[in-house]
Amino acid sequence: MRLILSDPVVSLADVFTDIETDRLLLRPLHEADRQAMVDIHTDPRTNRFNPAPPGVTEASEMFSGWLAHWAEHGFGYPAVFERGGTELIGMCGVRLREFHGEKVLNLGYRFRPSAWGKGYAVEAGQAVLEWCARELPSVPVLASVSIANKPSLRVAERLGFTEYTEEMYDGAMSRHYRR
């Protein structure tokens, strides 16, 4: 379980532990989270800015990819719960990707509509960014947001991201923020 960013190799197998905020718990994904994550990612309300929303098969394949990222790197998109709650309300975390030839951490999040409007994306995002600053300070974090998705644009800005570039990404004109 190694993340190769450059020499030397950095081992992160045991770095990520549960993160608790005032209201949330973020923990690594488990196979048992698959159905809840597929439900969230196929809900038409969570895809209103997605030009090609995933179906059940595609969402399940995405989830498999997220589990593989956890297994390989020791971090990824954690499951998010309200503290003391049992329902998975979303995900928020980072995955390694290349952007314009550079290794970056892609900040991604998605929450059930019942969790919207409570500031959870900002709260979870801030916790993840603090983890990145502590554990992977040399790797830039990127947030790619459809320019039509005004709520997510506001989240990126509230998290302290600055605009980096605009271009097509995943089928939509997107603003890429960097931190």
Side-chain angles (χ1 to χ4, degrees), residues 48-49 107 109 116-117 119 121-123 126 129 143-162 175 177:
R48 64 187 194 265
F49 302 108
L107 177 70
Y109 67 88
W116 293 353
V122 171
E123 186 173 333
Q126 189 60 48
L129 291 172
S144 299
V145 182
S146 166
I147 61 171
N149 190 342
K150 303 293 186 215
S152 283
L153 293 172
R154 286 191 298 273
V155 168
E157 291 165 1
R158 287 186 64 199
L159 288 172
F161 282 92
T162 56
R175 184 168 300 151
Y177 291 91

Side-chain angles (χ1 to χ4, degrees), residues 13-111:
D14 298 316
V15 172
F16 190 93
T17 58
D18 292 356
I19 297 174
E20 290 188 32
T21 70
D22 289 340
R23 302 179 298 160
L24 302 173
L25 168 69
L26 287 73
R27 65 136 172 87
L29 285 180
H30 303 164
E31 180 60 43
D33 301 328
R34 183 180 297 272
Q35 189 59 56
M37 293 302 287
V38 168
D39 291 347
I40 291 168
H41 283 80
T42 58
D43 185 321
R45 296 168 294 176
T46 68
N47 282 292
R48 64 187 194 265
F49 302 108
N50 187 344
V56 171
T57 300
E58 294 87 5
S60 185
E61 289 170 359
M62 289 173 12
F63 184 83
S64 293
W66 300 337
L67 287 178
H69 188 279
W70 276 99
E72 181 178 352
H73 300 294
F75 69 95
Y77 293 152
V80 179
F81 297 83
E82 291 175 321
R83 280 186 65 175
T86 58
E87 179 185 41
L88 190 154
I89 62 168
M91 51 75 83
C92 181
V94 291
R95 288 191 333 144
L96 189 64
R97 80 170 200 187
E98 286 207 16
F99 185 77
H100 294 231
E102 177 183 31
K103 289 189 187 301
V104 298
L105 296 170
N106 182 74
L107 177 70
Y109 67 88
R110 181 149 300 176
F111 288 87

